[in-house]
Amino acid sequence: MPKRASLIVIVAVVVGVISYLAASTAFPALLFFPYERTVGETRVYSEEPISGDIASVISASNQKLSKSAISEPGVFARPVFLTSGGLRWAILSIGAPHSFGLTRPAGDNVVINRSSVTLDKVWSGSPVAGVRSLTVVVTHERTHVLIRAHFGRFADATFPSWVREGYCDYVAGASTLSDSEASALRAAGSHLPALL
């Protein structure tokens, strides 16, 4: 009987951990982000204290998003989660560990890799083109929300990646690579995801 009880406890713990991690990808707040700041309609959550500079990051992002032909006010209310690139990022970025950020399809939560609000920087951990502006990355990821809201999730999933990612970079006003960097990487036969 004790062996059966131990097995039940082990199974319950494993199921609980897996369920918690799966739920966290849809609802990042479950991973406990102890710091929060609200800028307009946008709630920003972080593992570390949030600099007052976040107001200029979110305001600049809002201005860029407002100029998009598919702009919808609801995007400003989607939360942004800033990680320090550690365990929370590893859990939330399943399948995209060297990304600057991502937008979780369930809930349209924007999650950002290791970042500095004060420096307006995000690091992806990639050895090539591994640093980008936080304002640009937040805007890029929030543009994914705009695309889904305007065209629908199914249509968004069927668009070619270069269309989705290209439009997000267009609205954000910057890309991971300059034209010359991209040309050099292509000439070298690189398949870096940023070339998309």
Side-chain angles (χ1 to χ4, degrees):
M1 197 69 157
K3 287 183 182 179
R4 181 180 164 124
S6 296
L7 181 61
I8 289 171
V9 169
I10 291 170
V11 168
V13 167
V14 168
V15 167
V17 167
I18 290 171
S19 298
Y20 176 73
L21 294 176
S24 297
T25 61
F27 305 102
L30 291 176
L31 290 174
F32 184 61
F33 286 82
Y35 300 96
E36 177 185 341
R37 191 172 279 224
T38 302
V39 179
E41 297 176 59
T42 307
R43 280 198 180 157
V44 180
Y45 299 89
S46 180
E47 294 181 54
E48 299 171 356
I50 305 169
S51 160
D53 296 325
I54 194 64
S56 61
V57 168
I58 297 300
S59 295
S61 175
N62 288 351
Q63 287 177 344
K64 290 172 184 261
L65 290 164
S66 295
K67 294 177 184 175
S68 167
I70 60 171
S71 183
E72 296 185 16
V75 73
F76 302 125
R78 300 310 317 141
V80 175
F81 294 85
L82 304 175
T83 75
S84 15
L87 179 62
R88 287 177 183 87
W89 175 253
I91 292 169
L92 295 170
S93 67
I94 295 170
H98 292 292
S99 298
F100 289 101
L102 52 90
T103 306
R104 302 301 322 167
D108 287 328
N109 297 301
V110 172
V111 183
I112 306 298
N113 200 342
R114 185 169 68 93
S115 57
S116 168
V117 173
T118 305
L119 297 175
D120 191 26
K121 300 281 184 209
V122 178
W123 293 269
S124 69
S126 175
V128 177
V131 181
R132 207 167 173 193
S133 158
L134 176 60
T135 301
V136 165
V137 173
V138 168
T139 305
H140 176 107
E141 294 306 327
R142 293 164 94 197
T143 303
H144 282 296
V145 178
L146 282 181
I147 292 170
R148 289 182 195 132
H150 188 79
F151 297 104
R153 291 182 189 281
F154 178 76
D156 174 48
T158 61
F159 292 154
S161 294
W162 66 268
V163 170
R164 287 192 320 268
E165 298 302 326
Y167 186 69
C168 291
D169 278 353
Y170 172 76
V171 172
S175 183
T176 304
L177 299 170
S178 69
D179 289 344
S180 60
E181 289 170 326
S183 295
L185 287 168
R186 281 192 188 96
S190 174
H191 297 289
L192 187 73
L195 286 169
L196 193 65

